[in-house]
Amino acid sequence: MADAFGHISWRELWKNTADIVGDRAVARWLCETASGRDAHEFDAELHELVSARSGIHLDAIVRRVLNGEPVQYVMGRWAFRHLDLMVDSRVLIPRPETELIVEHVMSFLQSRPAPYVVADVGTGSGAIGLSLLHELPLGCADVWMTDVSPDAIDVARANAAGIGRPAARAKFAVGSWCDALPDQVKGSLDAVVSNPPYISVHDTEVDESVLKHEPHSALFAGDDGLDDIRILTQQVSNWLAPGGLFIVEMGYQQADDVRRLFEHAGYRNIETHTDLAGKPRFTAGQVGI
């Protein structure tokens, strides 16, 4: 491929790359990354010849993809709802199934008076918490984002810088779940949201690429995948204001078990919500009502 640089257009190179990686959409993303252009700019440059620098960059990232590295890490960014997030091996790759949890939180908050105080615990890249800040009316909410990994908080802070003015109400803390939150917000949170680890350490269906490249601490939670959700259901109720919401993402086969954990912890109005594929994916409940 390298010999062709300077004599091949981006349109031709995109086709050649698609033949190599076996996916036209992935090839497009890689070409955009190598060219340094966004989607609209890339469309306008399809007839342009590929520079040697861009071609060498593309060759390097294609090799990473062929070696099994997730395309999201190779590109260094990934879309989540309305955000373009920086992602790398320090954080879990944001999944489409997680996107609906943001809508559930926003819908709930409409029933409560602003301003709001919300916590996204185990935030990773900041996808959920930053989406809330980005999509809620400007200045109506403080959103705390916690993670036990300082590296993850570094990524979330970097992503906050990319959302502009709403980031002024972003708060970050390193620590385990709600333990990272300051005492002054205890008992005052309108909502706590979390996408915790929920995969069993014995799960044999986890993709090899996930096992090799994504942080295991953000994936696995004991023999049944529920260790962290057990902690959260007990812990979160102490931080919520009366009527406050706790909503958590879970595995689609865990709905009954997670509902029982919510019931045992004293939550009311417990609901199971489905993801975009119609699978049970979130459990929500309220306290003090």
Side-chain angles (χ1 to χ4, degrees):
M1 187 188 292
D3 292 340
F5 302 149
H7 304 283
I8 188 172
S9 70
W10 277 110
R11 188 186 304 278
E12 295 170 295
L13 190 55
W14 173 17
K15 180 183 183 302
N16 292 349
T17 304
D19 291 340
I20 293 169
V21 301
D23 188 310
R24 184 171 172 82
V26 169
R28 163 83 184 222
W29 298 332
L30 296 176
C31 286
E32 289 174 5
T33 299
S35 70
R37 300 178 175 93
D38 64 23
H40 296 300
E41 293 171 338
F42 186 73
D43 282 336
E45 299 294 332
L46 284 172
H47 65 285
E48 296 288 340
L49 296 180
V50 179
S51 70
R53 183 174 183 177
S54 294
I56 291 169
H57 186 192
L58 179 62
D59 191 54
I61 61 179
V62 165
R63 290 179 188 275
R64 290 170 63 187
V65 170
L66 294 177
N67 285 333
E69 188 172 350
V71 66
Q72 296 90 338
Y73 290 160
V74 171
M75 293 169 57
R77 60 187 178 88
W78 197 241
F80 183 86
R81 292 182 67 86
H82 305 290
L83 302 181
D84 188 16
L85 298 172
M86 181 187 84
V87 293
D88 58 33
S89 59
R90 293 174 290 178
V91 295
L92 199 67
I93 297 167
R95 264 65 173 186
E97 57 263 31
T98 303
E99 295 189 3
L100 284 181
I101 203 169
V102 176
E103 293 183 19
H104 291 306
V105 176
M106 291 195 299
S107 177
F108 169 77
L109 291 175
Q110 290 176 0
S111 68
R112 297 174 71 84
Y116 315 117
V117 184
V118 178
D120 170 17
V121 294
T123 192
S125 65
I128 296 171
L130 294 176
S131 289
L132 288 169
L133 282 171
H134 185 258
E135 296 181 45
L136 287 167
L138 184 66
C140 80
D142 287 332
V143 177
W144 283 90
M145 285 164 270
T146 78
D147 205 290
V148 72
S149 166
D151 285 341
I153 290 295
D154 286 344
V155 174
R157 285 184 184 276
N159 281 322
I163 71 169
R165 291 175 62 197
R169 304 295 289 268
K171 316 289 184 181
F172 300 94
V174 176
S176 179
W177 307 123
C178 293
D179 288 342
L181 296 170
D183 288 340
Q184 61 263 33
V185 302
K186 197 166 191 175
S188 68
L189 298 177
D190 293 282
V192 174
V193 58
S194 186
N195 177 17
Y198 55 75
I199 301 175
S200 164
V201 294
H202 305 297
D203 194 325
T204 59
E205 297 182 3
V206 182
D207 188 83
E208 181 64 28
S209 175
V210 173
L211 286 174
K212 185 176 180 181
H213 295 283
E214 298 196 55
H216 287 198
S217 60
L219 294 168
F220 299 103
D223 289 343
D224 60 0
L226 295 174
D227 283 4
D228 289 301
I229 296 180
R230 288 190 183 92
I231 294 170
L232 285 165
T233 52
Q234 294 297 321
Q235 189 184 87
V236 166
S237 59
N238 297 318
W239 292 85
L240 289 170
L245 180 81
F246 174 42
I247 183 166
V248 65
E249 182 170 328
M250 64 193 176
Y252 71 90
Q253 296 177 319
Q254 296 172 330
D256 291 342
D257 290 332
V258 174
R259 172 175 281 273
R260 283 190 287 270
L261 290 174
F262 269 64
E263 290 171 346
H264 181 72
Y267 292 87
R268 299 290 184 266
N269 292 344
I270 302 169
E271 294 182 310
T272 299
H273 301 287
T274 58
D275 61 19
L276 295 169
K279 295 180 179 180
R281 185 63 63 183
F282 316 108
T283 297
Q286 293 174 263
V287 298
I289 55 175

